[in-house]
Amino acid sequence: MIQWIGETLFATTVLMVLILAIRPFVADRFGARAAYLLWLAPALRMILPPLPADMFGDRATAVQDVVVVLVGPSSPSLQSASATGGGTAWLILSLTIWLGGAVLFFGRHWLSYVRFSRNVVEDGQALFAAGTIPVTASSAVSSPIALGVFDKSVVVPTDFAYRYDMAEQRLAVAHELTHHHRHDVPVNFAALAILALHWWNPVAHFAHRAFRLDQEAACDAIVLRGATPEERHAYGSALFKSAMGGVPLAACAMGATTTLKVRLRRIVSGHAEHRLAKPGAALVTLLVIGGVAATASGSVKAAVEPAIEAPQALVLGGGLVNVSAPVEPVIHDESNCPDARAHAAARARAKAMKIADAARSEAEEARIEALAAAADAREEALAAAAEARASAQEAMVEAQTQIREAQAEAAVAMRGAEATRAAAIRSMKISCSSKSDGSVISVEGRDSASGQRQMQIMVCGDGTRMGRAQIVDALRTTREQIAHDEMLPEQTRAHVLAALDRQIASVRPLPTPTLQ
């Protein structure tokens, strides 16, 4: 166990150094997401158990080199008890310091995250919900931040609506939602646990800063996939406005000052996303698997395959002693061995472990392929959503243009109708003349008391008396003509017809004019 811990810490350190060396090349050639995928290698190596020795097919050769000599009854150990006890004490002390430092390191950063989240919740004000993830405003932050492992949320500054324009607000919230969709907050806690186990290792601290930079750059690449130059400019402006320090290690802040300069440079140069992202992901997956396999722990193998320069013998009751004379190998008779059943069980266990390790390796490869397929599907879904949003915006602009045109046409039509109505009214302002031949004339005026417009009907004769029937007939004929006149507006027609109806109801015979 102790040997496996030492080999694991050493192997993960070697992998971190290699990734720090090659990640700039991978980011330039294949994009930020491929560089971020490299950090899967030390994480997998940290949890990789020791591989069994017989999986390489050389267990039998190792057993043949072991010489077992039974020497009488139990004898005292050849090693001094004081030496053994002293080594054990130093080992326990070293483990205590290492584990204690890891617990203190992780606990300090976890408490910092909890206090920060509590301050945000106490000061938070709900704004809206992006799907199932609420977006709140808090004065405790000056940059959009993604928080929560199970209760996910996005927190923005209280002046978010004033300091950022609409495009910057949309891109900033999309950045934090992408962190949640990629489960970056739980990943940050896992990275924090690995860093805690390497609290004494400066390489691990450099690697953690590079890991966070690649994480934010990968998120930038997803948000800016297919973006226009105007959207890139708005995204860079949002990053610049979101500069914020003092963020807990597990939180995902858009404008963390430790990564801001490099990310802005990549966005300006156009390296935030890359057309070879998918081939790069496949290549990096092979590199991760190869790196983990190359640094796999061989502690179990070393235990069954000792490097023997001189023959050694295991003394019953004692320790290991050198044997100067060559010893004939003991031929093991399986038929007469009292432990034949135990040996068969051991071989069966070894075979089962080999099969289980092969199945575990296949399952890990399948899981990596599934993760890659899920990432591709998520990227395609985001691209489709962006296209749908662009189409909706174009349709909205076109609809607004059509509405404005319809409003302008309606205003022109209303002005034309008013002009037609005014002309019709003016055409009816006629007075009787001495040459009238019994026609009906409509006269429009205003009541001096109420100020309302009124319509009066005059029946003009030729100077002779007109009978009641003639007046009514003239009024009705006029009413029939006006009712079928399509040139008059509907409101004017109704007004005139109502006046005619009143005049018909109240008509009286005209007095006979007298000649003086």
Side-chain angles (χ1 to χ4, degrees):
M1 182 64 179
I2 303 302
Q3 184 178 359
W4 173 78
I5 293 175
E7 290 178 358
T8 299
L9 296 176
F10 177 78
T12 51
T13 302
V14 171
L15 289 174
M16 290 175 188
V17 172
L18 292 176
I19 293 173
L20 287 172
I22 67 174
R23 55 181 285 274
F25 172 83
V26 173
D28 291 338
R29 297 297 185 276
F30 304 104
R33 285 178 289 177
Y36 180 55
L37 188 60
L38 285 171
W39 296 105
L40 190 61
L44 292 178
R45 180 60 187 86
M46 201 71 188
I47 61 175
L48 183 70
L51 299 180
D54 58 347
M55 71 179 298
F56 299 100
D58 53 358
R59 183 182 180 89
T61 304
V63 172
Q64 292 177 0
D65 294 336
V66 178
V67 179
V68 179
V69 179
L70 302 178
V71 183
S74 299
S75 59
S77 176
L78 299 180
Q79 296 181 354
S80 62
S82 61
T84 303
T88 303
W90 277 107
L91 182 61
I92 294 174
L93 179 61
S94 300
L95 286 175
T96 301
I97 295 175
W98 172 60
L99 289 177
V103 171
L104 290 176
F105 184 91
F106 186 88
R108 181 172 68 87
H109 287 284
W110 180 76
L111 289 176
S112 174
Y113 177 87
V114 170
R115 285 195 298 266
F116 183 85
S117 301
R118 186 179 300 146
N119 292 337
V120 168
V121 170
E122 291 175 355
D123 190 51
Q125 180 181 1
L127 297 179
F128 57 91
T132 59
I133 300 176
V135 179
T136 60
S138 173
S139 61
V141 300
S142 58
S143 165
I145 293 180
L147 294 175
V149 177
F150 301 105
D151 296 329
K152 299 179 180 179
S153 65
V154 174
V155 184
V156 298
T158 52
D159 58 346
F160 185 68
Y162 309 100
R163 188 152 52 100
Y164 299 74
D165 61 28
M166 293 300 297
E168 293 171 354
Q169 293 177 27
R170 178 177 61 83
L171 293 171
V173 173
H175 177 93
E176 302 306 326
L177 292 177
T178 303
H179 277 305
H180 281 309
H181 294 157
R182 292 168 58 89
H183 307 287
D184 283 342
V185 176
V187 168
N188 286 347
F189 274 104
L192 184 60
I194 296 175
L195 181 62
L197 295 175
H198 284 270
W199 61 269
W200 46 271
N201 188 355
V203 174
H205 290 273
F206 281 112
H208 185 267
R209 284 194 288 271
F211 159 81
R212 289 304 307 273
L213 171 60
D214 291 339
Q215 182 185 75
E216 295 294 334
C219 189
D220 295 342
I222 293 175
V223 175
L224 293 178
R225 181 181 181 184
T228 62
E230 291 78 12
E231 290 176 332
R232 289 180 178 275
H233 180 271
Y235 192 83
S237 177
L239 278 181
F240 185 80
K241 293 178 181 179
S242 302
M244 177 181 179
V247 181
L249 290 183
C252 295
M254 180 180 181
T257 54
T258 55
T259 63
L260 189 59
K261 184 184 297 184
V262 178
R263 291 165 61 196
L264 286 173
R265 189 182 301 117
R266 288 185 179 180
I267 292 172
V268 172
S269 63
H271 290 166
E273 54 182 349
H274 204 281
R275 59 185 180 86
L276 298 178
K278 292 184 178 179
L283 177 61
V284 169
T285 301
L286 295 177
L287 291 176
V288 169
I289 295 174
V292 173
T295 59
S297 175
S299 9
V300 175
K301 179 180 176 181
V304 297
E305 188 182 1
I308 303 176
E309 296 180 357
Q312 291 186 342
L314 178 63
V315 181
L316 184 63
L320 291 175
V321 296
N322 290 330
V323 180
S324 58
V327 180
E328 293 294 333
V330 179
I331 300 176
H332 184 70
D333 187 1
E334 191 69 31
S335 60
N336 298 325
C337 180
D339 296 330
R341 184 175 300 174
H343 293 169
R347 287 195 298 272
R349 281 195 304 272
K351 186 175 181 180
M353 289 179 61
K354 184 175 181 180
I355 295 173
D357 289 336
R360 187 162 50 247
S361 179
E362 294 177 357
E364 184 63 27
E365 292 179 359
R367 188 180 72 86
I368 293 175
E369 292 177 358
L371 287 174
D376 294 340
R378 186 161 52 247
E379 292 172 4
E380 293 176 357
L382 290 174
E387 293 177 359
R389 285 195 298 270
S391 300
Q393 290 177 353
E394 292 177 359
M396 185 180 299
V397 171
E398 184 177 356
Q400 291 176 351
T401 303
Q402 293 178 355
I403 289 172
R404 286 194 294 269
E405 293 176 355
Q407 290 176 347
E409 292 176 358
V412 172
M414 289 180 65
R415 287 194 296 270
E418 288 294 332
T420 303
R421 177 177 176 274
I425 291 174
R426 285 194 301 271
S427 67
M428 290 189 295
K429 293 181 179 179
I430 306 173
S431 61
C432 291
S433 64
S434 61
K435 296 180 181 181
S436 58
D437 54 356
S439 60
V440 178
I441 307 300
S442 61
V443 179
E444 184 179 14
R446 291 186 179 272
D447 189 354
S448 59
S450 62
Q452 297 180 350
R453 187 168 56 192
Q454 295 182 347
M455 178 69 71
Q456 296 179 353
I457 305 299
M458 295 175 55
V459 180
C460 298
D462 56 355
T464 62
R465 177 183 296 275
M466 295 181 65
R468 178 183 179 86
Q470 292 176 331
I471 296 173
V472 171
D473 185 59
L475 291 172
R476 287 177 178 173
T477 301
T478 303
R479 187 187 188 283
E480 187 69 19
Q481 292 175 354
I482 294 176
H484 292 84
D485 188 355
E486 297 181 353
M487 298 299 294
L488 290 176
E490 186 66 26
Q491 185 176 3
T492 303
R493 184 188 296 113
H495 184 61
V496 173
L497 291 177
L500 283 170
D501 290 338
R502 290 194 302 270
Q503 193 71 14
I504 290 172
S506 62
V507 69
R508 294 289 185 272
L510 293 174
T512 302
T514 60
L515 297 176
Q516 298 291 338

